[in-house]
């Protein structure tokens, strides 16, 4: 996905101003920020759970040897 850049952000801001008006933009920004924060916290929680699960499995399989087989090109 290509970078948007400053001109693209300015264009998006102008379109948002035209569609929603200057009174609604702070509310929309706040809502978007809260949504992104909640999504970030949720994904962090999921990653922590998965990491913890792998650590528990690693403790259970502590004596087992893991063999990695590389495929020749």
């Amino acid at each position: 996905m290509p970078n948007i850049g400053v001109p693209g952000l300015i264009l998006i801001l102008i379109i948002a101003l035209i569609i929603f008006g200057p009174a609604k933009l702070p509310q929309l920004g706040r809502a978007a920020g809260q949504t992104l924060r909640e999504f970030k916290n949720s994904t962090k929680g999921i990653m922590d759970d998965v990491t913890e699960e792998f650590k528990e499995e690693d403790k259970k399989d502590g004596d087992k040897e893991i063999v990695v087989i590389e495929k020749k090109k």
Side-chain angles (χ1 to χ4, degrees), residues 1-2 4 7 11 15 19 22 24 26 28 30 32 36 40 44-46 49 52 56-57 63 67 70-71:
M1 185 166 138
I4 293 175
L11 181 63
I15 292 172
I19 293 174
K24 287 280 187 179
L28 290 172
R30 231 177 276 115
L36 288 174
K40 182 179 174 182
K44 184 181 181 304
I46 291 170
D49 291 345
E52 185 177 315
E56 289 176 5
E57 285 294 321
D63 340 349
V67 177
E70 292 184 19
K71 189 175 185 180

Side-chain angles (χ1 to χ4, degrees), residues 14-49:
I14 290 172
I15 292 172
L17 274 170
I18 292 171
I19 293 174
F20 298 110
K24 287 280 187 179
L25 279 183
Q27 294 173 353
L28 290 172
R30 231 177 276 115
Q34 288 175 346
T35 302
L36 288 174
R37 192 176 315 115
E38 288 177 15
F39 180 76
K40 182 179 174 182
N41 289 339
S42 296
T43 55
K44 184 181 181 304
I46 291 170
M47 289 301 293
D48 290 344
D49 291 345

